[in-house]
Amino acid sequence: MRPTHIRQFPDPVLGKISSLVKRNDRAIETLIERLIVTMRHQPGGIGIAAPQIGVLKQVAIVDLSIKIPGAKQLILINPKIISFEDEDIFREGCMSLPDYTANVRRADRVLVKWQDMDFKDCELETTGLEARCIQHEVDHLNGLLFVDRVSSLKSDVFRRKVYLK
Ligand code: NI
């Protein structure tokens, strides 16, 4: 399978709210495969959400294994963050805003619930980069990008260095 084109800001699909996935949705397995292939194709990709490939369904992948060896890949269907605790500010990037990074304040600890590919209910309490990445991907499903979370567009958003292409 080939990677899918990643939608970039200001593509309007990125600002829309994704629908809940239904149990009988037969397209989900292929969607998950497309998401994983597309995420892995991007250098440094540690998460992706379905709207980033133009699909408004509540599916996201978080895979920190390139940063944290042995980290388990999360396939999140209908994820919902139940609790947010503590706070941290960290520099984030996004494949849909490739030219920018920003300092984003988020909870350091979250409890998230979702369904797996067999539609079984799952939950996880996690912290640090994993908690941050989950929040970033769930934001995509609600039509939000990291720039919507910064306190000041002027002082918290940074243009990446330009590389020759
Ligand atoms: Ni993103």
Side-chain angles (χ1 to χ4, degrees):
M1 185 185 284
R2 291 195 171 187
T4 306
H5 168 71
I6 293 194
R7 305 298 185 97
Q8 293 187 359
F9 178 83
D11 189 318
V13 78
L14 296 170
K16 298 203 166 133
I17 294 182
S18 293
S19 309
L20 282 170
V21 174
K22 298 199 180 87
R23 186 184 284 268
N24 59 1
D25 188 335
R26 291 214 160 153
I28 285 305
E29 269 187 45
T30 308
L31 171 60
I32 288 166
E33 199 184 340
R34 279 173 65 204
L35 286 167
I36 292 171
V37 166
T38 304
M39 178 186 69
R40 290 205 175 129
H41 186 70
Q42 296 286 319
I46 56 174
I48 189 169
Q52 292 182 278
I53 60 167
V55 178
L56 287 169
K57 290 184 183 176
Q58 290 194 26
V59 180
I61 313 292
V62 170
D63 188 339
L64 303 180
S65 57
I66 60 166
K67 303 240 177 210
I68 304 170
K72 201 176 154 212
Q73 182 181 71
L74 300 176
I75 296 171
L76 305 169
I77 299 174
N78 301 330
K80 194 165 168 49
I81 300 174
I82 305 299
S83 71
F84 300 82
E85 278 177 62
D86 306 332
E87 272 191 348
D88 187 25
I89 295 175
F90 191 81
R91 190 71 74 89
E92 286 186 23
C94 179
M95 300 186 293
S96 295
L97 268 167
D99 297 336
Y100 294 90
T101 62
N103 289 329
V104 185
R105 182 188 300 271
R106 293 192 191 271
D108 186 48
R109 175 181 296 272
V110 296
L111 172 63
V112 59
K113 296 191 176 188
W114 73 95
Q115 273 115 34
D116 68 9
M117 285 176 75
D118 300 319
F119 243 79
K120 272 196 295 197
D121 290 324
C122 303
E123 68 171 70
L124 172 73
E125 190 180 46
T126 186
T127 60
L129 186 61
E130 191 169 56
R132 176 166 293 270
C133 196
I134 290 168
Q135 290 170 83
H136 177 116
E137 301 312 332
V138 170
D139 269 358
H140 276 300
L141 304 179
N142 291 312
L144 294 171
L145 296 174
F146 69 75
V147 284
D148 297 311
R149 293 278 183 198
V150 300
S151 319
S152 160
L153 285 176
K154 215 170 166 185
S155 59
D156 293 332
V157 180
F158 307 90
R159 206 176 165 91
R160 283 193 203 265
K161 291 195 181 98
V162 179
Y163 298 99
L164 293 174
K165 286 182 183 163

PDB file of all heavy atoms in Angstrom, residues 52 94 136 140, ligand 1:
ATOM      1  N   GLN A  52      -6.395  13.840   8.674  1.00  0.00           N
ATOM      2  CA  GLN A  52      -5.170  14.245   7.978  1.00  0.00           C
ATOM      3  C   GLN A  52      -5.031  13.571   6.617  1.00  0.00           C
ATOM      4  O   GLN A  52      -4.249  14.019   5.783  1.00  0.00           O
ATOM      5  CB  GLN A  52      -3.938  13.939   8.834  1.00  0.00           C
ATOM      6  CG  GLN A  52      -3.874  14.828  10.069  1.00  0.00           C
ATOM      7  CD  GLN A  52      -2.619  14.551  10.869  1.00  0.00           C
ATOM      8  OE1 GLN A  52      -2.584  13.604  11.643  1.00  0.00           O
ATOM      9  NE2 GLN A  52      -1.595  15.356  10.671  1.00  0.00           N
ATOM     10  N   CYS A  94       3.487  18.990  13.548  1.00  0.00           N
ATOM     11  CA  CYS A  94       2.353  18.258  12.981  1.00  0.00           C
ATOM     12  C   CYS A  94       2.583  18.127  11.478  1.00  0.00           C
ATOM     13  O   CYS A  94       2.989  19.086  10.830  1.00  0.00           O
ATOM     14  CB  CYS A  94       1.059  19.034  13.245  1.00  0.00           C
ATOM     15  SG  CYS A  94      -0.399  18.240  12.558  1.00  0.00           S
ATOM     16  N   HIS A 136      -2.985  15.467  21.153  1.00  0.00           N
ATOM     17  CA  HIS A 136      -2.811  16.095  19.840  1.00  0.00           C
ATOM     18  C   HIS A 136      -3.686  15.388  18.789  1.00  0.00           C
ATOM     19  O   HIS A 136      -4.361  16.048  17.989  1.00  0.00           O
ATOM     20  CB  HIS A 136      -1.318  16.024  19.469  1.00  0.00           C
ATOM     21  CG  HIS A 136      -0.958  16.560  18.125  1.00  0.00           C
ATOM     22  ND1 HIS A 136      -0.150  17.664  17.950  1.00  0.00           N
ATOM     23  CD2 HIS A 136      -1.282  16.139  16.869  1.00  0.00           C
ATOM     24  CE1 HIS A 136      -0.002  17.893  16.651  1.00  0.00           C
ATOM     25  NE2 HIS A 136      -0.672  16.979  15.970  1.00  0.00           N
ATOM     26  N   HIS A 140      -7.197  16.526  16.561  1.00  0.00           N
ATOM     27  CA  HIS A 140      -7.462  16.431  15.111  1.00  0.00           C
ATOM     28  C   HIS A 140      -8.890  15.932  14.852  1.00  0.00           C
ATOM     29  O   HIS A 140      -9.552  16.374  13.919  1.00  0.00           O
ATOM     30  CB  HIS A 140      -6.493  15.454  14.448  1.00  0.00           C
ATOM     31  CG  HIS A 140      -5.165  16.037  14.079  1.00  0.00           C
ATOM     32  ND1 HIS A 140      -5.027  17.096  13.212  1.00  0.00           N
ATOM     33  CD2 HIS A 140      -3.896  15.698  14.438  1.00  0.00           C
ATOM     34  CE1 HIS A 140      -3.742  17.381  13.051  1.00  0.00           C
ATOM     35  NE2 HIS A 140      -3.024  16.547  13.793  1.00  0.00           N
TER      36      HIS A 140
HETATM   37 NI    NI B   1      -0.937  16.540  13.948  1.00  0.00          NI
END
